[in-house]
Structures are given as C-alpha cells and as structure tokens.
C-alpha cells in the first residue's frame, strides 16, 4: 500500500457472487464493520476472470451502499485462469538484491499468458528452517489488462484501489487471524469451492506451501442434478440447496488410495503426472450411489474427490502431509460435504469460519445472514485484513 490505512474494504469478485467485508484496525484488533453480498451480473465474470468492468462496478457500488460500508479504499483479489498465476518456489537462500534478480528470471520463464505486458510480484514466505540452505517464495504474475480491469471495477464503484492481492494470500491472513490457535502446528488444506472453480491451497499454519486451482465448482454439481432429474438449472440449484445431503451416500471410506500425483509444474496443462505403473490403481473407487438428489451428483463428486486426492498425494510425494481439510466458498456449503470428504479421503474435514476471533460490528445485516453465509466471506475478509499485515 502507498500509505498505511486503518480501514479498508475487502472485495472478492466471484463468477456467481460478489462479496465485500469492511475491516477496521482498532488497537491491532480487526473489527468487521460491514458485510455484503450480491449476485455477479450474468456474463460479466467467468473462470478466466473479469471481462465486464461496467457491470461488475455497478453491482459492487450497489452492494457497498446496501451494506453501509463507508471506507474509501479497497483491497481486491485478482483471480481466474487467464488473469493470474500464483506459484510457490523453493530457492537457495540469498540476500534481497540477489533474490530480486533471481525472481525476475523465474517470472520471465513462468509467464503463461499470450499477453506480453504483465505485472508481477514475489514475496519470501518466512518461517524457514534456519538450518536449511533454501527458502520459500511465492510469486504472482498477471496480464496488465486483467489488472486494469479489476482496478476499473473498483473505480466504477466509487472507491480507490489500495492493493491488488491474490486469493491464497488473503486466505493465509484469515488463517493467521482467526485460526492460529487451532492450526498453528498443523498443515491445513483449505478447499475454496467456487461456482466454476475450486482452489486447493495447502498451508503450514498460515504459510502458503502449495496453491492449486481446478475447473470443478458448484455449477457442475447443479448441472449434474439438472441432467439427472430433467429440471432447469434454477430448479436444480434449489434442489441442491434444499434437498441434497451427502450423508445419504454410502461412504467410499478408508485412507487415501494410490493415485497419480498432481504435478503443478508438468508441461501438460491438466497437471497430471505420468501414468501410474500397471500394478497401481489408476483412480480411486467411484463414489457409490445413494438416492435422490445426492446420487445425481455422484459422477461430479468422484471427480471432485479425485482432484483433492491428487493434490494431497502430490504434496505427500514431496515429503509433506496434511493434518486436516477445511471448506469455504459457496459450494462448500453443500450439506454433508465435509463429512463426505473426511470419509473418502481419510483426513479430518470441517467448515471454515473466517469470522472466528474477529469482532463483528456490522449494523446493516439481516437476521441469520452471517450464519448462512459466513464461509463465503473467507477471501473478502482476508483481503480486508491486509491492513493488519502490510
């Protein structure tokens, strides 16, 4: 940030919902003074990023007014497969000047976009083993056009952009503020289930170890119900929210089975590693069918479990292990999903609460709104917490 702020608006622009969280720093304590959510204008955001800043800016301006948020500066995360690349790297320990030169080389060789003009940044993650010869660094690369589009959204909403962030680091701040006492010595996989994509980020405490995004989200669950039940997408969404319960599906059970580890550095865009040996099972057992609406999602659930399994197995193949899973995002609210993943992956799983240990003093909130939607504000709150860290 150009100047130190005591309050900021955290903004999370999703393909289905736009979320905001106004956060104030009062004596080094975070106070959430406004929360708001609005439907993302149809056709303005997809899995690649934002491409209609006029529509998004208008919706953002509306939800800011409705929530009662009043601060003038915003921190917004940039997301989307065509909008940002986030990667963690292990590099030899070096002084700041050497690191800057080395990371420029890393950034130049990792640019995945066709656009030649990019914005990039990097940051040492800290908490390294003092006896290690290496250090961990996170880097982010984004096309200039994607950055300009996000800034335009904030400007059209009548606010100034204080900082542009990436979702995995916003979640890291949230982990630090809200769950440090619970997760300090644990390696946690935060599964942020969005409308079109899911982010699978692994942290040690609040230190980002591995970020990954996969093209499976809540929309695929809804479409599976629509196809199986022969209903519209709107009706399928209603059924998913009101009737689907994954407790009705029998458990695939057991610890993680052998699976082709995900490799985020593979040349194959899908991230798949080489095929497994012939005597190694190529995939986990299919998710067994249950009944009704829940069983309509069996095929997508099988893919979803497999993608998380890939991430865990790849992380384990590099010497790590995961203590627990925690779910956030709109798709993470699917009834019974946490217990379903726990049974199928053999790792404890719960629902993430980004408002835990924060003071909530928002006046314009409808009764029950926070309890119904708290896990969806993880990124917005994490962006708002920027003022307590940077």
């Amino acid at each position: 940030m150009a100047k130190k702020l005591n309050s900021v608006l955290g903004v999370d622009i999703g393909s289905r919902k736009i979320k905001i969280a106004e956060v104030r720093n009062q004596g080094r304590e975070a106070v959430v003074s406004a929360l708001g959510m609005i439907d993302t204008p149809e056709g303005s955001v997809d899995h690649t990023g934002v491409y209609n800043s006029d529509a998004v800016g208008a919706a953002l301006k509306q939800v800011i007014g409705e929530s009662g948020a009043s601060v003038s500066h915003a921190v917004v995360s940039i997301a989307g497969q065509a909008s940002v690349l986030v990667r963690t790297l292990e590099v030899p320990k070096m002084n700041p000047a050497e690191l800057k030169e080395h990371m420029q080389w890393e950034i130049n060789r990792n640019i995945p976009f066709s656009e030649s003009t990019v914005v990039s940044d990097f940051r040492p993650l800290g908490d390294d083993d003092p006896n290690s010869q290496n250090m961990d660094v996170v880097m982010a690369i984004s096309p200039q056009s994607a950055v300009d589009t996000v800034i335009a959204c904030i400007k059209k909403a009548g606010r100034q952009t204080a900082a542009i962030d990436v979702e995995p680091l916003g979640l890291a701040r949230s982990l630090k503020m809200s769950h440090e006492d619970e997760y300090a010595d644990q390696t946690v996989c935060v599964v942020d289930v969005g409308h079109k994509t899911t982010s699978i980020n692994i942290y040690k405490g609040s230190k980002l170890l591995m970020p990954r995004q996969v093209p499976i989200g809540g929309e695929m669950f809804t479409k599976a119900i629509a196809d199986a039940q022969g209903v519209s997408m709107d009706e399928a969404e209603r059924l998913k929210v009101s009737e689907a319960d994954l407790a009705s599906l029998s458990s695939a059970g057991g610890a993680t089975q052998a699976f082709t580890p995900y490799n985020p550095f593979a040349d194959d865009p899908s991230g798949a590693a080489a095929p497994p040996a012939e005597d190694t099972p190529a995939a986990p057992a299919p998710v067994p069918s249950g009944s009704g609406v829940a069983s309509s999602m069996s095929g997508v659930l099988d893919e979803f479990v497999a993608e998380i399994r890939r991430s865990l197995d790849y992380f384990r193949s590099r010497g790590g292990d995961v203590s627990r899973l925690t779910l956030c995002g709109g798709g993470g609210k699917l009834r019974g999903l946490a217990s379903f993943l726990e049974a199928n992956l053999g790792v404890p799983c719960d629902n993430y609460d980004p408002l835990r240990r924060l003071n909530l003093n928002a006046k314009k909130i409808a009764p029950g709104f926070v309890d119904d939607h708290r896990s969806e504000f993880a990124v917005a709150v994490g962006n708002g917490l920027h003022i307590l860290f940077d």
Side-chain angles (χ1 to χ4, degrees), residues 16-19 36-41 58-60 62-63 66:
R16 184 173 178 82
K17 298 285 186 180
I18 297 171
K19 287 82 65 178
M37 180 185 297
I38 193 170
D39 289 344
T40 302
L60 185 55
Q62 180 181 337
V63 73
E66 292 173 349

Side-chain angles (χ1 to χ4, degrees), residues 38-200:
I38 193 170
D39 289 344
T40 302
E42 188 173 354
S44 62
V45 182
D46 66 8
H47 67 286
T48 66
V50 180
Y51 56 90
N52 187 336
S53 58
D54 289 333
V56 171
L60 185 55
K61 184 174 184 178
Q62 180 181 337
V63 73
I64 290 172
E66 292 173 349
S67 69
S70 60
V71 300
S72 59
H73 288 81
V75 174
V76 58
S77 51
I78 189 166
Q81 293 175 357
S83 297
V84 67
L85 169 74
V86 182
R87 181 168 290 176
T88 54
L89 303 172
E90 186 178 32
V91 302
K93 283 186 177 177
M94 54 188 80
N95 63 44
E98 293 171 332
L99 180 62
K100 182 178 180 179
E101 182 178 353
H102 177 80
M103 289 307 299
Q104 190 57 57
W105 176 80
E106 291 281 5
I107 289 165
N108 288 339
R109 79 184 188 96
N110 279 285
I111 296 173
F113 311 110
S114 58
E115 185 175 330
S116 59
T117 305
V118 299
V119 178
S120 61
D121 199 3
F122 67 90
R123 178 175 302 179
L125 290 171
D127 298 324
D128 294 303
D129 181 353
N131 299 316
S132 174
Q133 296 182 340
N134 297 325
M135 59 192 296
D136 295 314
V137 182
V138 60
M139 71 175 182
I141 310 170
S142 181
Q144 182 68 59
S145 60
V147 172
D148 292 343
T149 299
V150 170
I151 292 174
C153 293
I154 302 301
K155 184 176 181 180
K156 292 175 190 297
R159 296 298 189 268
Q160 299 178 52
T161 303
I164 296 178
D165 216 321
V166 292
E167 292 180 358
L169 295 184
L171 289 171
R173 285 190 291 271
S174 177
L175 283 166
K176 178 73 173 178
M177 290 297 296
S178 293
H179 293 274
E180 184 177 30
D181 59 328
E182 281 190 312
Y183 301 157
D185 299 320
Q186 299 186 38
T187 303
V188 180
C189 179
V190 180
V191 182
D192 185 357
V193 189
H195 183 54
K196 292 184 178 291
T197 61
T198 293
S199 296
I200 304 169

Side-chain angles (χ1 to χ4, degrees), residues 274-287:
E278 291 184 2
D279 59 349
T280 302
V287 177

Side-chain angles (χ1 to χ4, degrees), residues 367-390:
F369 177 81
V370 173
D371 289 336
D372 289 343
H373 298 286
R374 64 174 63 230
S375 68
E376 296 173 70
F377 285 97
V379 172
V381 169
N383 287 342
L385 290 171
H386 201 295
I387 56 174
L388 280 85
F389 288 84
D390 301 284

